[in-house]
Amino acid sequence: MRRKLLNTILNTFLALFVALVVWIVLRIFVIASFRIPTRSMSPTLWEGDYVLVNKLVYGPRLFDLSAAMRGERLEVFRLPGWRLVRRGDVVVFHEPYPRMEEKMEMHLLKYFVKRCVGLPGDSLSIQNGYYQVAGLPDTVGYLPAQKRFSREIPMAFGEEDDRCFPFDTIVDWNVKNFGPLYIPKAGDEIALTRKHIALYRFLIEWELGERLALRDTLLYVGSRRLDTYRFRKNYYFMAGDNVEDSRDSRYWGLVPGDFIVGKACWIWKSVVPSSGEWRLARSLKKID
């Protein structure tokens, strides 16, 4: 009797241990769930939606979790995925500037969900509210909101909101007329002109893991002057479908590929934030 009870307890603990391992493996390598906290992706995603993110599409990432929790710079290795990020994918990624506006870092607990509208190697611009990529005949991103946004008076969304990346007078951009901005891909080499320094300085600092100094329009790492730079990573331009009310790449710039968690594929449940009432019509809805 005692042996039978002991076997039952051991088998229970073993089953729980196996279930825990399977759950951890699924969370790390396969799928994750995230809650949508704002209206920035409306009407595709509503505040209170819970989305399932497929990590296998782009490939799961491996990195030092303890170093990430300490806020240290990470080397990220991505396993092979089914395919690369495509223009139009709804993507979950780490917020690029979680602590301060002038330092890029990967914070494990802070995420954004946006639509990818610019890929590595693209030259992207916004013309009267419409997102355009050089060489493509059609507008990219969520068109209905862009049509509505294009009809708004430029300053109707507020003078402060009109200012945008890179917040430098070297370019005369705003959230409605922006770019063209070249989106670097790994291996691209650029001359570090004054304009390029304004656009890419924080990306270079993140890749090098060092703060750079700007002296007399020239860029230095320590005592060494940088005249050119070759990018090591791929970058992406992310936009909210609700272009009138979305803090996205128009405000904080480009997202490194290392920061991308996965592709948002399904809304598995949705609740009204104020009441907790379940929105049954939005449950198990595919994300396009």
Side-chain angles (χ1 to χ4, degrees):
M1 184 70 177
R2 184 178 297 174
R3 179 175 293 180
K4 184 177 180 181
L5 178 61
L6 181 60
N7 286 338
T8 300
I9 293 173
L10 289 175
N11 288 335
T12 301
F13 274 110
L14 179 61
L16 291 174
F17 175 76
V18 170
L20 178 61
V21 170
V22 169
W23 181 82
I24 292 174
V25 169
L26 287 174
R27 289 281 296 177
I28 294 175
F29 294 103
V30 182
I31 203 162
S33 173
F34 296 91
R35 183 181 67 86
I36 304 302
T38 70
R39 301 179 301 158
S40 71
M41 280 296 292
S42 175
T44 304
L45 299 175
W46 294 2
E47 183 181 359
D49 285 350
Y50 287 77
V51 300
L52 289 178
V53 176
N54 190 334
K55 298 182 178 183
L56 295 176
V57 176
Y58 311 136
R61 301 171 302 161
L62 299 176
F63 52 83
D64 186 337
L65 182 60
S66 61
M69 296 302 291
R70 293 193 299 269
E72 298 175 5
R73 187 178 182 277
L74 301 175
E75 288 297 326
V76 176
F77 176 74
R78 190 178 293 275
L79 297 174
W82 298 344
R83 62 172 177 82
L84 300 176
V85 179
R86 292 175 183 165
R87 198 179 291 106
D89 285 354
V90 177
V91 177
V92 172
F93 56 94
H94 299 284
E95 183 180 345
Y97 298 92
R99 302 178 198 271
M100 55 188 295
E101 292 182 353
E102 297 185 351
K103 183 181 179 182
M104 177 179 284
E105 58 181 313
M106 193 174 84
H107 193 298
L108 289 185
L109 302 180
K110 294 187 177 182
Y111 298 92
F112 281 148
V113 182
K114 307 290 182 187
R115 189 177 300 276
C116 177
V117 297
L119 299 174
D122 283 351
S123 184
L124 183 138
S125 60
I126 304 173
Q127 299 175 18
N128 191 32
Y130 291 96
Y131 288 83
Q132 305 283 341
V133 170
L136 297 183
D138 300 320
T139 295
V140 296
Y142 187 74
L143 185 57
Q146 293 177 41
K147 287 182 177 179
R148 185 172 61 248
F149 190 46
S150 71
R151 294 192 294 267
E152 290 190 4
I153 300 172
M155 300 308 294
F157 38 89
E159 184 174 355
E160 187 65 26
D161 288 341
D162 188 47
R163 298 177 63 245
C164 68
F165 173 84
F167 298 97
D168 193 303
T169 54
I170 195 71
V171 294
D172 184 25
W173 298 353
N174 58 56
V175 294
K176 199 169 183 179
N177 291 284
F178 180 101
L181 170 65
Y182 180 76
I183 305 171
K185 63 179 184 295
D188 280 345
E189 186 172 8
I190 60 168
L192 289 175
T193 62
R194 176 69 181 85
K195 180 178 178 181
H196 284 167
I197 290 171
L199 295 176
Y200 305 118
R201 176 179 175 178
F202 298 137
L203 306 185
I204 296 171
E205 287 186 339
W206 174 74
E207 288 196 356
L208 295 177
E210 298 184 60
R211 298 292 283 182
L212 303 178
L214 181 62
R215 298 195 289 267
D216 298 326
T217 73
L218 300 175
L219 202 59
Y220 291 83
V221 52
S223 60
R224 180 168 60 94
R225 182 173 130 186
L226 292 180
D227 295 313
T228 63
Y229 185 76
R230 187 181 299 275
F231 288 97
R232 305 172 184 178
K233 304 291 184 178
N234 290 320
Y235 293 88
Y236 300 83
F237 192 103
M238 305 293 186
D241 286 357
N242 184 8
V243 293
E244 299 148 297
D245 187 18
S246 175
R247 290 281 166 172
D248 48 35
S249 284
R250 295 172 298 172
Y251 293 95
W252 35 253
L254 303 173
V255 178
D258 285 356
F259 283 36
I260 293 177
V261 178
K263 184 179 185 297
C265 296
W266 292 86
I267 300 168
W268 69 272
K269 80 169 183 177
S270 181
V271 298
V272 179
S274 59
S275 65
E277 179 185 355
W278 198 307
R279 302 182 183 116
L280 291 176
R282 293 189 62 78
S283 299
L284 302 179
K285 182 178 179 181
K286 187 176 180 181
I287 299 171
D288 296 315

